[in-house]
Amino acid sequence: MKLIIAIIKPFKLDEVREALTGVGVAGMTVSEVKGFGRQKGQTEIYRGAEYSTNMVPKIKIEVVVGADLADRAVEAIQAAASTGAIGDGKIFVLDVGQAVRIRTGETDETAL
Amino acid sequence: MKLIIAIIKPFKLDEVREALTGVGVAGMTVSEVKGFGRQKGQTEIYRGAEYSTNMVPKIKIEVVVGADLADRAVEAIQAAASTGAIGDGKIFVLDVGQAVRIRTGETDETAL
Amino acid sequence: MKLIIAIIKPFKLDEVREALTGVGVAGMTVSEVKGFGRQKGQTEIYRGAEYSTNMVPKIKIEVVVGADLADRAVEAIQAAASTGAIGDGKIFVLDVGQAVRIRTGETDETAL
Amino acid sequence: MGVQMKLAMKIAAGAGLGALFAAPFFFGPALAQAPAAAPVVPTDAMVNKGDVSWMLVSAALVLMMSVPGLALFYGGLVRTKNMLSVLMQVLTIVCVAGLLWVTIGYSMAFTNGGALNLFVGGFSKALMKGVDANTFAATFSNGVYLPETTFVVFQMTFAMITPALIVGAFAERVKFTPLILFVVAWSILVYYPMAHMVWYWPGPDFTAGLPDDHGYLWGKGALDFAGGTVVHINAGIAGLVGCLVIGKRVGYKSEPMPPHSLTMTMIGASLLWVGWFGFNAGSNLEANKFASLAFINTMVATAAAGAMWAIIEQVVHGKPSLLGAASGVVAGLVAITPAAGFAAPMTSVVLGAVASVGCFFFVTTVKNALKYDDTLDVFGVHCIGGIIGAIGTGVVADPALGGQGFMDFTVIPAVAGKYDMASQLWVQTQGVLTTLALSGGVSLVLFLLLKFTIGIRPSKEVEVEGLDINAHGERAYNY
Amino acid sequence: MGVQMKLAMKIAAGAGLGALFAAPFFFGPALAQAPAAAPVVPTDAMVNKGDVSWMLVSAALVLMMSVPGLALFYGGLVRTKNMLSVLMQVLTIVCVAGLLWVTIGYSMAFTNGGALNLFVGGFSKALMKGVDANTFAATFSNGVYLPETTFVVFQMTFAMITPALIVGAFAERVKFTPLILFVVAWSILVYYPMAHMVWYWPGPDFTAGLPDDHGYLWGKGALDFAGGTVVHINAGIAGLVGCLVIGKRVGYKSEPMPPHSLTMTMIGASLLWVGWFGFNAGSNLEANKFASLAFINTMVATAAAGAMWAIIEQVVHGKPSLLGAASGVVAGLVAITPAAGFAAPMTSVVLGAVASVGCFFFVTTVKNALKYDDTLDVFGVHCIGGIIGAIGTGVVADPALGGQGFMDFTVIPAVAGKYDMASQLWVQTQGVLTTLALSGGVSLVLFLLLKFTIGIRPSKEVEVEGLDINAHGERAYNY
Amino acid sequence: MGVQMKLAMKIAAGAGLGALFAAPFFFGPALAQAPAAAPVVPTDAMVNKGDVSWMLVSAALVLMMSVPGLALFYGGLVRTKNMLSVLMQVLTIVCVAGLLWVTIGYSMAFTNGGALNLFVGGFSKALMKGVDANTFAATFSNGVYLPETTFVVFQMTFAMITPALIVGAFAERVKFTPLILFVVAWSILVYYPMAHMVWYWPGPDFTAGLPDDHGYLWGKGALDFAGGTVVHINAGIAGLVGCLVIGKRVGYKSEPMPPHSLTMTMIGASLLWVGWFGFNAGSNLEANKFASLAFINTMVATAAAGAMWAIIEQVVHGKPSLLGAASGVVAGLVAITPAAGFAAPMTSVVLGAVASVGCFFFVTTVKNALKYDDTLDVFGVHCIGGIIGAIGTGVVADPALGGQGFMDFTVIPAVAGKYDMASQLWVQTQGVLTTLALSGGVSLVLFLLLKFTIGIRPSKEVEVEGLDINAHGERAYNY
Ligand SMILES: Nc1ncnc2c1ncn2[C@@H]1O[C@H](COP(=O)(O)OP(=O)(O)O)[C@@H](O)[C@H]1O
Ligand SMILES: Nc1ncnc2c1ncn2[C@@H]1O[C@H](COP(=O)(O)OP(=O)(O)O)[C@@H](O)[C@H]1O
Ligand SMILES: Nc1ncnc2c1ncn2[C@@H]1O[C@H](COP(=O)(O)OP(=O)(O)O)[C@@H](O)[C@H]1O
């Protein structure tokens, strides 16, 4: 099994979720994060004080899939999340040793 | 060492934390996430607009343990987090190559 | 490639970010988490009710680097994040199988 | 006739006497009961525009106490998942209680109830019958009147906020519709009778001719400037009974339940303070020196109570908290309510400080010892603060302490009566006990009835997930 | 002379008649036009301090309706990324409209416009010329005046909130500077003429001598106590036109757009309610029994509308929502606005409830069917509620239903006129249609003009990222 | 006698002259000093209910400026971790300053100070001695009085908000108890003397008989309608001194410190605006045409300043911000404060706009250049805005510019004095300099004393983790 971590632009979340369900992914976990990278944040000015944030809001998707599905899932994310502009984000893939569905105790791929 | 990632129902956090300390885990890291899966969210209605959220609030626990402790920790989480209802969540286990305690520079299992 | 997960004290974020860019890291992803460990939280009192939070606010940094850079990055984080006080946090290192830059489709180290 | 008789004459104090003593003038039927000698016929010319201005502002201020004041004060203290339920409960109660007031409430509180007149009014003004732009309501001064609609709407705001106060006691674990049903029944069975017993009289120009036309506690000579009994003790005991019948919140004392936004609580407490001037100084019904006295007393009692709570916290655990100061502010406002027009500024300071000590002790120590879950300390602040204020009024009203005493309205024009602190304290105590018994008893019956019929408490699942999404289909925040 | 003539005499009602009928007294030139027979010369002695107190409070309350009231009511409903844009739009409009009012607005609304007098005033009081501490404005009572500055500032607050209402219709997708330009142009071309047509007259002491010196709709005898046409229908239709010209939000109906903070919306709705007493009861211009009537009507119509919306939701989908109750509250306030001083409390209850049903149906069913994106339901609540109120005024003002009818100011002192519901309903309808046509037409031209010149809508990128950071360089929250 | 003498007669202006000139009437001792010829004996009959209504509302409005207004305006601008500390500081200061006022403050400000009478009052009314429902305070009109408690409580609200303003300058890095000690000492050593110097006089009916019974700056003829010197310059300079003594925040200029909730700041600014009508128009002490003038001037100066700040930002960096507009609003309110009852509407517009430019320049350029950390720009907005307003008052009060000039109260009834702009500007400047010197000097001593005894600044650790949890044991939000 693979853990796919995707950092994407927030407004792409819905498209990516649909793309993933499209390739057969049944579940995923999403969190709000801040990204630091090439993309620069907007400048904020409060009275005299100017702040150029170098952190931009991003969405992190974590999804565990069977090894066979991993490539298609990565492709699906990449296709759905891409705008061609700086800051589109990254996808990382890690190995997962074990998976458990808490409700049933099922393990590994049947747990997903 | 193993990184155990558990996605659980928010109100189960305290029980899970206690279960983990029960098996000898000394630390963990918790974050608020949104889960997408079989469990459906509540429908929200704002004047004319109806939104069926398919994202439900979840808690993600990340805990790194020695390899020997991993199985007991997984079991403890599963037992504590289970309600038997859809949406109880998942546990994923990954390999960790290295661990460092920032304060002391200790590494690996002594760092936990 | 390695995924470095660092749990640090919130006010150390800027220093750690600078340390990381100092060793050549170009991007990272940051999130707000709650940590449970040796460090105890402050006691809050609301009218008659006293709560000793055992969760303290932490920052989690996730950064994927080429294997060669990993050690230097870990050291940089450790040096920058350390105050010597309990609760300074942890660094964990995991293997990453694959990385993709969404914008371009570039993979692995060139994607970082 | 003895004490009772003497007390019957002891009606209210100092020409500026609070809503407690307010009653509209009755055209027609009421006049028919009046004895010979040309009775006063209230006209437009007896209305002072300064009074109308002040009373309309006061009514608006009291509405602001409920929404958004009380709603925020309470709402900030619950967990995010129940925020909207509290706001919705308060807002809906305000709407429903307002409608009920023009339907039957005003009539049940402020008309002659015939055989039951000591305890409740009748239905002669139901649906605002006979109330229009050309009817007038008495003040506490001979020959000074308000448009009756002014009096109706000012009193309406009291009938709105009182049941809204109750919900804090069992916040986070009550079903919406049963709660609204409770409020309707409680208003009819408890609030209107209490208001009648304490506040019904024929006005200063007619008391001499109608010496027996008044509510039970009014007749006893109980002093309650702006509603210590009718509003605070009344709501406080109902809340306690409610939280006992409904039971503790899931997770009470086992999981942390910190306030979700003390910022909102602070806004609420502040708006309560600001609005309370309408409540207390407005209860004088005239914009005169007694309104001004009630105003300054409200200001300093509150300041004393706010500071005192912070000082206690500093002493007890070294950290004076905002929630503490805000709680003190509300405790002070509650305690000065019955005394506002009777006390002097410096005795108000003492009363406020004492109330703060009493309420602090109650919500931190007694509540924890007795282990009941009064979510937002409705009993500990409103009932206890109300009792301290009601009894304290008997002390601070004493002219020997710079108080205003009371007026004898059986002569025209009214004159100051002779003040006896001991007997006044006993009368005040009777007012407190009557309120506790009536409101406590009826509330118990009502809550039990609801519990064993349609149910008053949501399922554990719903409670755990939160009332907002389950009962109202919304979330408070989507940041 | 027929209907027109009869209606011309039907000027306003019951001595307490609302801003609709308000107009300052004119020194000099105006007097020159007056016929023989010693005209009244307003002096300080004709000013009652109770009135001044009430009107200044009312002006402050109406400002509070805009900021923070309306700003929060609207702001809570948008997404976090656009929160500040809404707050900034409302605040800036308030500032700009206030400045424009003392510059030319007051003069264009409340002076004689010469040849165009039926439709708009002139510039004789531009830049406050001739307006100072020693000039006075008429009320609806013979011989009763206000300091003219009181009238100017009270009316100013109406000129501030009306354009601010519009922005809700196209919130989250409008460029800031073009919006402000629109507001300036719309104020000049629509608001001041409408105010003149509906509210301009020489006052009760001068109507007999100047029977033709009034605005077009005033002359028709349209009843609008506090601005159902000038404020709500006027703003509501402009909003609809705006949202149609600008188009739907990116993601409308495809992505969830839940309100970012219903807590803020609740605070806003509550402050609108509290402030609206200044709006409605203040429109009486005097602190008398009619102000009191307008006050209680505003209270109960709102309570009825708030409760009714919740009841409908309970019936329709089992979950009465806070947003629903708050929307009902605003719908009720809108509907009672034109009727506030004319209705009786119980007919106000009915009017509020009907408005709630009408607006609910509109914002949930009609809007979804027609698929336009009126972000915050400015049309569905303000225009529809305003129309229900304007027409309903013709019903509830009928003395046969306990209403106040209207006063005939052509005699001194004014006497009650003879009320005919059918013809009054026709007049009310004309008022509605005139407003819809003028405001709808001019707004269409203005929005199109802006769209095809400097542009009125930000780029898709900016809209997606949010207006706050892009247009104002700030974020609302940094928790 | 020269200038001094002439100026001594130049006491206040236009019958409606602001708190600057307000003083209660003195029974007994004061009367003893009065010369022969039957002196006025103030009675209830000289009190107008419209005035009482207006003044009580005004006092409530000024309280609302502090809590929740100022608390939110400030609180929204700090970081989440310090939110409650700001709310708590403001709330506690309000409570403590209120208590101190009835204890000794009122007496030290508004009684005859014997040998020190030019600079400070005495203790004859300490603990409200001799102040009750039957004592009265003078207004600016001959023969018109207020209940003395009305005056006491109205002035109390000024004594509450002024020290609360100071805390913004060193927000996020001050210890709570030392701060409260500072406020107590500063009130006694600076505020009460300043109030006495500027606002103490025997009232219009007694000035002729007591030509030397007044404070120092009052005697000079300084014009300050509602507290430009006593409130804003006074607090502003104390704040600057405080932030210099305490030092910069940890991380100042090196880490981002964006406001945690501009929504709260907007609510605060709006409530400041609304409440400020009580502050400015209330300072007239009567609900008459001059109150109305002060009201409209306050409205338009603020609108001009708010719009102007946004315009400057649009020009300077293309993005008009909400914080900018809100800052402008406050700057305008500050600047019009001393001039409110003296200016004309159009000169108020100019004054507001000028203040906006001045304050903008100060907080964005001067502050950055001088590198001091005035957290919330108390100096840049209140002191600078106050100075612009104080000096500007000398200009706009000129009858040649439509201003109200000043009244000569040495004759009964008072008549208009002869206005000389140049000498008035010099007097105004003296008022400014006196305030800067007294408040700046005493504050320096007090802050240094605290710094080197019990300490005024928390440890770095505490500051970094936040004051809320460390000093108050709470967190503002638990979403
Ligand atoms: N080495 C990295 N490790 C973890 N996250 C990264 C890394 N580099 C970039 N990111 C994440 O990806 C986001 C996008 O990266 P950025 O450099 O801005 O643009 P792009 O993805 O187009 O190269 C960043 O905001 C950050 O959240
Ligand atoms: N493949 C997956 N990868 C990551 N997280 C998942 C995955 N599937 C489910 N989850 C997480 O687990 C939660 C529960 O899953 P769900 O399908 O709703 O119920 P159950 O755990 O009972 O099967 C989801 O809300 C989501 O956060
Ligand atoms: N086993 C663990 N797995 C994951 N996170 C951990 C673990 N132990 C500690 N942490 C994280 O590291 C933080 C610091 O740990 P703590 O025990 O308080 O101090 P120290 O790092 O000085 O040993 C914790 O708040 C938690 O977020």
Side-chain angles (χ1 to χ4, degrees), chain F residues 198-280:
Chain F
V198 179
W199 292 342
Y200 176 74
W201 75 313
D205 295 331
F206 297 90
T207 295
L210 297 165
D212 298 325
D213 188 18
H214 53 68
Y216 172 68
L217 288 166
W218 168 272
K220 294 226 167 253
L223 299 177
D224 184 350
F225 197 78
T229 51
V230 181
V231 176
H232 296 287
I233 301 176
N234 211 4
I237 184 70
L240 179 68
V241 169
C243 87
L244 291 175
V245 171
I246 293 175
K248 299 174 198 177
R249 281 169 292 173
V250 173
Y252 183 60
K253 291 285 169 198
S254 74
E255 53 180 87
M257 300 174 167
H260 92 279
S261 174
L262 286 179
T263 300
M264 290 301 139
T265 295
M266 195 277 181
I267 300 177
S270 300
L271 293 181
L272 282 169
W273 192 350
V274 172
W276 219 293
F277 293 116
F279 199 94
N280 282 2

Side-chain angles (χ1 to χ4, degrees), chain F residues 12 14 44 66 74 92 99 106 135 172 211 240 244 284 298 381 410 459:
Chain F
D44 225 357
S66 301
Y74 277 1
T92 306
L99 294 172
Y106 175 64
T135 56
E172 307 202 295
L240 179 68
L244 291 175
N284 186 63
T298 301
V381 172
T410 57
S459 71

Side-chain angles (χ1 to χ4, degrees), chain A residues 2-4 25-30 61-66 100-104 106 110-112, chain B residues 5-9 33-40 54-59 84-92:
Chain A
K2 300 285 181 184
L3 165 62
I4 304 174
V25 170
M28 68 196 72
T29 299
V30 169
I61 298 177
E62 290 167 297
V63 53
V64 176
V65 294
V100 180
R101 185 195 305 275
I102 290 174
R103 170 164 48 100
T104 57
E106 287 163 290
T110 60
L112 300 180
Chain B
I5 301 176
I7 318 287
I8 62 169
K9 288 191 165 160
V33 297
K34 301 251 169 188
F36 173 82
R38 281 159 199 82
Q39 187 193 358
K40 291 299 159 228
N54 37 34
M55 298 282 180
V56 289
K58 298 280 167 194
I59 288 288
I86 285 186
D88 275 354
K90 316 277 178 190
I91 306 171
F92 305 121

Side-chain angles (χ1 to χ4, degrees), chain D residues 44 47-50 52-57 59-61 63-64 66-68 71-72 83-84 87-88 90-92 94-96 98-99 102-103 127-128 131-134 136 147-153 156-157 160 176-177 260 264 267 271 469-479, chain E residues 48-51 53-55 57 61 64 78-80 141 144 258-264 266-267 269-271 273-274 277 281 286-293 295-296 299-307 310 313-314 318-326 329 345-346 349 404 477 479:
Chain D
D44 225 357
V47 174
N48 184 297
K49 283 176 160 181
V52 176
S53 173
W54 172 240
M55 292 310 298
L56 294 185
V57 172
L61 285 174
L63 178 67
M64 188 174 79
S66 301
V67 288
L72 294 178
M83 175 61 169
L84 297 180
L87 301 184
M88 181 65 177
V90 173
L91 181 59
T92 306
V94 161
C95 291
V96 169
L99 294 172
V102 287
T103 307
L127 294 168
M128 293 287 101
V131 177
D132 61 36
N134 292 306
F136 301 89
E148 188 170 3
T149 53
T150 304
F151 183 72
V152 175
V153 82
M156 184 193 295
T157 58
M160 286 166 157
F176 183 70
T177 308
H260 93 279
M264 289 302 139
I267 300 178
L271 294 182
I469 191 70
N470 282 290
H472 307 292
E474 307 163 296
R475 290 181 200 285
Y477 308 102
N478 290 284
Y479 283 122
Chain E
N48 184 297
K49 284 176 160 182
D51 290 339
S53 173
W54 172 241
M55 292 309 298
V57 172
L61 285 173
M64 188 174 78
V78 301
R79 288 165 289 175
T80 306
S141 298
V144 179
H260 92 279
S261 174
L262 286 179
T263 300
M264 290 301 139
M266 195 276 180
I267 301 178
S270 301
L271 294 182
W273 192 350
V274 173
F277 294 116
E286 288 175 78
N288 60 16
K289 59 191 179 182
F290 296 108
S292 182
L293 182 67
F295 193 109
I296 195 171
M299 186 68 101
V300 294
T302 306
E313 287 188 330
Q314 174 73 44
K319 292 183 180 179
S321 73
L322 173 71
L323 176 56
V329 159
M346 298 317 294
V349 167
Q404 294 296 321
Y477 308 102
Y479 283 122

Side-chain angles (χ1 to χ4, degrees), chain E residues 178-179 181-182 445-456:
Chain E
L179 172 66
L181 293 178
F182 170 81
V445 173
L446 289 177
F447 280 121
L448 287 174
L449 218 71
L450 286 167
K451 180 171 179 168
F452 294 114
T453 54
I454 59 175
I456 182 92

Side-chain angles (χ1 to χ4, degrees), chain D residues 51 53-54 80 258-264 270 277 286-287 289 292 295 299 303 319-323 346 479, chain F residues 44 49 52-53 56 63 67-68 84 88 95 127 133-134 149-150 156-157 264 469-470 472 474 476-479:
Chain D
D51 290 339
S53 173
W54 172 240
T80 307
H260 93 279
S261 174
L262 285 179
T263 300
M264 289 302 139
S270 301
F277 293 116
E286 289 175 78
K289 58 190 178 183
S292 181
F295 193 110
M299 186 69 101
K319 292 184 180 178
S321 73
L322 173 71
L323 176 56
M346 297 317 295
Y479 283 122
Chain F
D44 225 357
K49 284 176 161 182
V52 176
S53 173
L56 293 185
L63 178 68
V67 287
L84 297 180
M88 180 65 177
C95 291
L127 294 168
N134 293 305
T149 53
T150 304
M156 184 194 295
T157 59
M264 290 301 139
I469 191 69
N470 282 292
H472 307 292
E474 308 163 294
Y477 309 101
N478 289 285
Y479 283 122

Side-chain angles (χ1 to χ4, degrees), chain A residues 7 33-39 56 58 85-90 92, chain C residues 25-30 62-65 101-103 111-112:
Chain A
I7 318 287
V33 298
K34 302 252 170 187
F36 172 81
R38 279 157 200 83
Q39 187 193 357
V56 288
K58 297 281 167 193
I86 285 186
D88 275 355
K90 317 277 176 189
F92 305 121
Chain C
V25 171
M28 68 195 72
T29 299
V30 169
E62 289 167 298
V63 53
V64 175
V65 294
R101 185 194 305 275
I102 290 174
R103 170 165 49 101
L112 302 180

Side-chain angles (χ1 to χ4, degrees), chain F residues 176-200:
Chain F
F176 183 70
T177 308
L179 172 66
I180 301 303
L181 293 178
F182 170 82
V183 165
V184 171
W186 186 86
S187 293
I188 295 170
L189 299 176
V190 179
Y191 187 82
Y192 306 150
M194 274 304 305
H196 185 85
M197 280 194 268
V198 179
W199 292 342
Y200 176 74

